[in-house]
Amino acid sequence: MVDILRNYDVIGAFWVTIQLSALSAVGALVLGTVVAVFRVSPVGVLRLLGSLYVNIVRNTPLTLLMVFSILGLTYILHLPFSESASRNAYWWAVVMLSVYHAAFVCEAVRSGVNTIPAGQAEAARSIGLTFGQSMREVLLPQAFRGAIAPLGSTLIALIKNTTVAAVILGTAESAGTLAEVTENEGASLPTFLLFALGFVILTLPLGIAITHYSRRLAVQR
Amino acid sequence: MSEPLVVLRDVNKHFGDLHVLKDVNLTVGRGEVVILIGPSGSGKSTLCRTINRLETFESGSITIDGKELPEEGKELAALRADVGMVFQSFNLFAHKTILENVTLGPTKVRGMRKAEADRRAMELLERVGVGHQAHKYPAQLSGGQQQRVAIARSLAMDPKVMLFDEPTSALDPEMITEVLDVMVELARSGMTMIVVTHEMGFARKAANRVVFLSDGQVVEEATPEEFFTNPRSERAKDFLGKILTH
């Protein structure tokens, strides 16, 4: 076990996992919120775009998105992020994780919006707020508070889904390193448990925090 | 009548097959207090909500202070800022404090500075008697207090006219009075008001005119005294007979 930690950069691999998770979480939250606003907007075209996005992205395997980012977008369409193959794969992984999880964030936020009584939006409109202002000031703040639990589940799923990025990042992140260790040292239960523990450390405190805040920040009606 | 402020001409609206507003004509003068009354399903709430386009309508026209109601977008938002609305279920912004509820419109819509908006909001909250609750959240207040805050929130926009959609229907009896007192005071201060209500005491005390609706039509218009003591139409007589027997 100590040998594995000494011979392989397990900590460094988990650090990449954390970076991927944090960057993609921000990307998914921003993009998902925009798509959610599209989906509840009064403009039909935007609603259509929003639901197309969700239904296409949500039903595409993440592995396929990852492979497409390199084989399709980088090699065929020539859209690299960087000359360096590893940097290019890193940023494409962030983008694809963001794009994929944005669909789930959108649905979480939208269900949050749906829990808000219709009167809140009517009151916002009747004091003269525009659609954008109503969203920003009245609906989204309440929607996020109502959607903390599903948003949290999406975030935990995102952290674990960063392992899919191994298909393009190779050994740079934790799942890739696990594969490398297994290949070189043979499969062993302690190795699996070590990596599993790494993910538990990342996700368990998050789950507890989510439960805490989903209660504390709930909107009292 | 004083100079007309709200003018509805031949307004028609359907909910699917149901014809809820049938060629409604109504003129409300500046400073006038008009009560909309009628049986359940008569279209009085719909009519009230149509005036600031929370409900759309198919034909006819509605003008406020000479300006035609815009269909949507920024112009409609600007017009709504001049039309106060008080709802049956209060609809205070649940995630904001009482003070923030009142200052949101003035700061975001009118571009008022926060300090000025706070000062003015406190004045209004004092006026409706909930100044000491300014830093609480809506859920911590009673229904009557919430409704008075909702009135203050509308007043903060300096509206030209205020719409009240059954403002006391969701309140316990002892809280109705505190809300009606604020409304009577408002009426005396010269505010133009269109009020959907069955509170006859309020109508007699504060209203200039009662408009009786039935099946989406204006059936009768009269002063409160005349309407309640001597209704002309059969439908009004029937309706008053039902609500006055208890």
Side-chain angles (χ1 to χ4, degrees):
Chain A
M1 182 65 82
V2 178
D3 282 348
I4 290 170
L5 284 171
R6 194 176 298 145
N7 297 337
Y8 299 91
D9 190 6
V10 176
I11 304 294
F14 267 104
W15 174 233
V16 172
T17 297
I18 292 170
Q19 288 174 27
L20 287 176
S21 303
L23 291 169
S24 316
V26 173
L29 203 60
V30 172
L31 184 58
T33 304
V34 172
V35 179
V37 171
F38 275 26
R39 289 206 74 176
V40 298
S41 92
V43 184
V45 179
L46 294 184
R47 280 202 303 274
L48 184 70
L49 282 176
S51 70
L52 275 178
Y53 180 95
V54 168
N55 284 308
I56 291 171
V57 171
R58 197 172 49 177
N59 295 317
T60 306
L62 182 56
T63 312
L64 196 135
L65 285 175
M66 288 293 173
V67 173
F68 176 69
S69 73
I70 301 301
L71 299 184
L73 294 168
T74 305
Y75 293 158
I76 300 174
L77 297 173
H78 302 292
L79 294 168
F81 269 104
S82 161
E83 291 298 313
S84 148
S86 64
R87 292 319 284 168
N88 179 56
Y90 178 87
W91 284 111
W92 269 123
V94 169
V95 168
M96 288 306 171
L97 283 166
S98 301
V99 164
Y100 179 75
H101 292 93
F104 297 91
V105 168
C106 164
E107 292 303 274
V109 172
R110 194 168 67 98
S111 69
V113 171
N114 288 339
T115 63
I116 305 170
Q120 295 283 308
E122 289 185 350
R125 277 188 281 157
S126 64
I127 59 169
L129 296 180
T130 59
F131 172 73
Q133 287 173 323
S134 306
M135 271 289 150
R136 228 173 19 248
E137 299 291 335
V138 177
L139 298 177
L140 287 178
Q142 294 188 47
F144 280 119
R145 285 158 189 245
I148 289 174
L151 281 174
S153 301
T154 304
L155 182 58
I156 288 172
L158 183 150
I159 292 172
K160 294 185 292 177
N161 285 343
T162 56
T163 54
V164 176
V167 299
I168 60 172
L169 278 174
T171 59
E173 61 74 67
S174 49
T177 304
L178 172 63
E180 188 193 20
V181 173
T182 307
E183 197 157 304
N184 295 347
E185 316 287 336
S188 82
L189 273 184
T191 314
F192 281 112
L193 289 177
L194 175 71
F195 281 86
L197 182 71
F199 278 96
V200 169
I201 290 170
L202 289 183
T203 54
L204 198 64
L206 198 62
I208 293 167
I210 289 159
T211 310
H212 173 71
Y213 281 108
S214 67
R215 291 208 190 110
R216 228 192 77 189
L217 294 178
V219 180
Q220 303 294 319
R221 299 197 191 281
Chain B
M1 190 196 289
S2 55
E3 150 199 22
L5 183 63
V6 180
V7 181
L8 288 81
R9 253 188 241 300
D10 301 323
V11 173
N12 278 286
K13 177 179 177 65
H14 292 77
F15 281 130
D17 287 338
L18 191 67
H19 198 171
V20 279
L21 297 178
K22 297 173 186 159
D23 292 320
V24 172
N25 286 285
L26 180 68
T27 303
V28 178
R30 200 181 291 276
E32 201 182 10
V33 176
V34 171
I35 306 286
L36 300 180
I37 201 168
S40 155
S42 59
K44 54 195 191 303
S45 273
T46 307
L47 182 62
C48 185
R49 290 162 56 83
T50 307
I51 295 172
N52 69 351
R53 253 192 195 275
L54 285 180
E55 299 287 349
T56 55
F57 54 94
E58 287 109 36
S59 66
S61 78
I62 299 180
T63 58
I64 292 170
D65 210 4
K67 260 184 282 178
E68 183 103 19
L69 218 53
E71 292 254 337
E72 54 192 49
K74 289 219 157 49
E75 286 159 60
L76 179 59
L79 182 127
R80 280 185 179 139
D82 289 336
V83 180
M85 178 95 189
V86 175
F87 301 88
Q88 182 176 350
S89 49
F90 332 131
N91 296 346
L92 293 181
F93 305 129
H95 64 304
K96 290 188 180 287
T97 64
I98 298 309
L99 185 65
E100 289 166 345
N101 263 276
V102 181
T103 56
L104 183 64
T107 52
K108 297 294 166 190
V109 179
R110 302 276 193 232
M112 194 185 277
R113 289 224 314 280
K114 192 180 172 296
E116 169 70 5
D118 281 354
R119 194 186 57 73
R120 177 113 162 72
M122 283 312 297
E123 267 175 33
L124 289 166
L125 289 172
E126 295 293 346
R127 181 172 162 192
V128 299
V130 286
H132 55 294
Q133 315 273 25
H135 297 288
K136 291 190 179 170
Y137 284 87
Q140 297 171 282
L141 270 60
S142 74
Q145 290 170 331
Q146 289 193 51
Q147 194 60 299
R148 285 182 282 149
V149 173
I151 294 173
R153 175 174 69 180
S154 289
L155 283 175
M157 299 302 291
D158 287 320
K160 291 174 180 165
V161 51
M162 283 184 67
L163 311 172
F164 292 81
D165 185 7
E166 306 209 31
T168 57
S169 301
L171 296 175
D172 290 337
E174 73 266 35
M175 290 170 189
I176 292 177
T177 320
E178 65 190 47
V179 171
L180 290 181
D181 286 347
V182 170
M183 290 171 61
V184 169
E185 190 257 329
L186 201 56
R188 299 219 164 111
S189 75
M191 177 61 72
T192 310
M193 294 162 67
I194 299 173
V195 186
V196 177
T197 186
H198 291 154
E199 296 293 336
M200 277 179 294
F202 172 77
R204 282 176 195 260
K205 213 184 286 182
N208 302 99
R209 191 152 46 111
V210 172
V211 174
F212 177 72
L213 277 104
S214 181
D215 297 323
Q217 282 173 312
V218 175
V219 176
E220 192 166 336
E221 288 187 57
T223 63
E225 207 49 49
E226 205 177 297
F227 178 77
F228 290 121
T229 51
N230 188 22
R232 283 167 314 213
S233 64
E234 278 309 313
R235 270 183 286 183
K237 278 178 197 159
D238 184 49
F239 173 73
L240 287 173
K242 279 175 191 152
I243 64 169
L244 290 176
T245 46
H246 293 287

